[in-house]
Amino acid sequence: MADKTSKGPFKVIIVGGSIAGLTLANALEKAGIDYVLLEKRDVAPNVGQTIFVLPCTSLVLEQLGISKTLESIAIPLKTREHWAGSGKNGEAKLFCSSDELWRLYEKSQRPVRFVDRYRFLSGLYEGIKDKSRIHTREGIVSFIETENGVTVRTDQGNTFEGSILVGADGVHSETRRQLSLASQEQDPKRSKILGNGFITRYVCLTALSHNHFADEPNRPFLADGVVNNAYHEEEGLGTISCAGTANQLIWSIYIPVDQTEYPSPKYGQEDIDAFVKKYGHVKFCADYSISDVYKTKIGANMIAMEENVLPTKWHSGKRVVLVGDAVHKATANLGMGGNLCIDDVCRLVNGLVPLLKTNDAPSTQELVKVFMEYERAAKPRALFVNRASAFFCGFETMTAWYARVTKLIFPWIPSSLKMMVFSIFDGAAPNLSYLPVPPAKFVA
């Protein structure tokens, strides 16, 4: 079925052109399943965000034949250095080094990578052979489900017809909002969960900079393959910086805020500038500060980090299903969210492919069974990521009750145990069952 473009009766309407949506498009194309993708903005906006790529995600990209971009730009991560804020002018002192990311590479035979989101999404987009199926600047405004399919209406006045609708349109999902509105009268509890089910307790300033000091272009901030975490108790901030791609520094700052319910607070350039002015002295390590890396920034963005795994069914009971950030969201500090989106795609398509082999016009009941099985398998992993990310965000910002104790014992925890948070998730990840698994090779 590989690389076959089906023009049969079954067609998937994908809403959303980010990690989940573009991965789904590639997976469907490889499976020979017809689809159309609707994205309300442009694909792959360059806004300074990043993605942490675990070995399980690299495997899926290899299956799809689109891993070359990632392999060409990404530097395998080797060492994590942990720095404690001293409380004096934002200084930081090294208190622990660990190599759990390199150990995961040795175990899985595929490296851990940290790359900018723009190039990652561009690689997904370039992997799609028939780009006429991708419609940008085409946001949905409504949809109608019938026993035989779904009709979507867009903000451009166009209509699209398909067999199912997959809402891969992120935490601000219009697909989810429409499902919320549809259930207001019959199930107000479900409607509220779908409409306002996420909370925000942390904000993330995430950015990409040139990996050198502004006035010393030959002096890098950080050596390739190194990740720095800093824990600033006095300021209540957690920072991370990483040299994950050549000549670039990826960095983020995790900032506690008063808890709010969805819709999430919005932030703009004025908020970023005000934060850097106030906390620019804070160090990522002994050598460079927030002000230093901001001077060479390529792009920066401040976003709310929504949290929750929606405790309601992830489908309409008919022909609409939600995937990725539309139904589960975690703080970004562990970097597992993008990997989880690709998990969802694998589970959903792995259910569709065998069904469509036996019946290219499945009933609504058969499709709902696929949706239910996808959700049954995906939800426990989403809960694990949500809880683990929240725990470590409380530690990294030094705002949780257990933060001081965790920092004291952290240097004594062996790297093999630190690796477990990532290896448990990575080892249980699905791949695309209808495609061959390429061999992996560890390169020391």
Side-chain angles (χ1 to χ4, degrees):
M1 298 178 73
D3 290 318
K4 177 183 175 184
T5 303
S6 170
K7 297 299 180 183
F10 192 86
K11 185 174 186 177
V12 179
I13 301 175
I14 306 168
V15 178
S18 191
I19 294 173
L22 290 174
T23 303
L24 179 56
N26 276 280
L28 293 174
E29 193 169 68
K30 283 287 185 182
I33 299 173
D34 197 11
Y35 73 91
V36 62
L37 186 150
L38 310 176
E39 166 54 48
K40 66 181 179 181
R41 292 183 288 264
D42 293 325
V43 170
N46 193 357
V47 293
Q49 292 176 293
T50 56
I51 178 170
F52 185 68
V53 183
L54 288 170
C56 56
T57 290
S58 293
L59 168 57
V60 174
L61 298 182
E62 290 171 26
Q63 287 186 290
L64 293 171
I66 55 175
S67 62
K68 288 185 178 179
T69 299
L70 179 66
E71 293 166 357
S72 67
I73 65 172
I75 300 164
L77 303 183
K78 297 180 179 180
T79 305
R80 287 182 74 195
E81 294 182 343
H82 302 270
W83 299 78
S86 67
K88 297 178 181 179
N89 300 319
E91 297 293 331
K93 295 181 179 179
L94 183 68
F95 73 92
C96 176
S97 293
S98 55
D99 64 349
E100 64 267 26
L101 300 179
W102 190 255
R103 286 172 180 257
L104 182 57
Y105 182 9
E106 292 178 322
K107 180 179 180 180
S108 67
Q109 302 293 290
R110 288 180 171 86
V112 181
R113 301 176 170 109
F114 212 162
V115 298
D116 68 274
R117 190 183 182 94
Y118 166 71
R119 287 196 280 185
F120 185 84
L121 291 176
S122 296
L124 290 176
Y125 177 73
E126 290 304 320
I128 296 168
K129 291 181 171 54
D130 184 0
K131 293 182 176 58
S132 67
R133 300 180 182 190
I134 311 300
H135 298 260
T136 58
R137 302 283 173 171
E138 194 93 52
I140 72 163
V141 294
S142 65
F143 60 80
I144 298 173
E145 293 181 88
T146 68
E147 184 58 33
N148 298 313
V150 184
T151 300
V152 171
R153 186 167 63 88
T154 75
D155 54 10
Q156 301 302 309
N158 298 317
T159 59
F160 294 85
E161 295 184 353
S163 305
I164 64 171
L165 167 60
V166 180
D169 42 349
V171 70
H172 305 300
S173 170
E174 178 62 23
T175 310
R176 190 185 70 241
R177 193 182 78 86
Q178 293 291 332
L179 289 176
S180 172
L181 293 174
S183 60
Q184 271 183 338
E185 292 187 8
Q186 292 187 338
D187 193 344
K189 182 179 179 181
R190 170 173 165 79
S191 177
K192 184 176 181 180
I193 291 170
L194 290 170
N196 306 94
F198 294 99
I199 62 168
T200 297
R201 298 182 297 167
Y202 300 94
V203 169
C204 179
L205 171 54
T206 178
L208 186 70
S209 295
H210 296 290
N211 188 17
H212 63 76
F213 286 83
D215 54 354
E216 296 181 77
N218 294 322
R219 181 188 171 197
F221 292 123
L222 193 59
D224 288 349
V226 177
V227 181
N228 276 341
N229 285 93
Y231 311 77
H232 290 274
E233 183 174 359
E234 185 168 298
E235 292 84 1
L237 301 175
T239 73
I240 185 172
S241 54
C242 172
T245 53
N247 305 314
Q248 292 184 339
L249 186 80
I250 293 163
W251 55 277
S252 295
I253 304 165
Y254 310 119
I255 309 156
V257 294
D258 292 335
Q259 180 171 317
T260 59
E261 291 187 351
Y262 191 86
S264 319
K266 303 287 186 181
Y267 302 92
Q269 188 60 48
E270 289 185 2
D271 300 295
I272 297 174
D273 292 339
F275 178 86
V276 173
K277 183 178 180 179
K278 182 176 181 180
Y279 293 107
H281 63 284
V282 171
K283 293 287 189 71
F284 288 93
C285 64
D287 298 326
Y288 54 93
S289 67
I290 293 173
S291 288
D292 290 330
V293 299
Y294 194 66
K295 288 175 184 176
T296 66
K297 72 175 175 67
I298 298 168
N301 199 12
M302 183 176 276
I303 55 174
M305 295 198 291
E306 297 89 355
E307 300 173 72
N308 205 6
V309 177
L310 295 189
T312 186
K313 64 184 180 183
W314 295 355
H315 58 90
S316 65
K318 296 179 182 178
R319 289 177 174 258
V320 178
V321 63
L322 301 170
V323 299
D325 290 353
V327 281
H328 51 70
K329 197 75 165 60
T331 54
N333 52 302
L334 285 187
M336 292 188 181
N339 300 275
L340 201 58
C341 289
I342 292 175
D343 268 23
D344 287 0
V345 169
C346 290
R347 295 191 189 281
L348 180 61
V349 181
N350 285 347
L352 288 174
V353 167
L355 174 62
L356 295 175
K357 278 185 176 180
T358 59
N359 181 5
D360 63 3
S363 67
T364 297
Q365 185 178 13
E366 290 173 311
L367 290 166
V368 168
K369 285 183 179 179
V370 171
F371 299 161
M372 290 174 65
E373 177 57 25
Y374 139 68
E375 181 183 337
R376 183 200 65 78
K379 189 169 280 188
R381 285 172 64 76
L383 286 167
F384 169 78
V385 169
N386 177 269
R387 291 163 182 168
S389 299
F391 176 89
F392 280 98
C393 206
F395 167 43
E396 290 171 22
T397 58
M398 297 300 294
T399 53
W401 62 267
Y402 50 80
R404 286 187 178 183
V405 174
T406 305
K407 194 177 88 171
L408 285 173
I409 66 173
F410 204 68
W412 303 99
I413 301 173
S415 292
S416 57
L417 288 180
K418 289 173 182 167
M419 181 185 70
M420 285 184 64
V421 174
F422 301 108
S423 64
I424 289 172
F425 177 86
D426 188 78
N431 56 49
L432 294 167
S433 59
Y434 57 93
L435 294 175
V437 176
K441 184 178 180 181
F442 173 75
V443 179

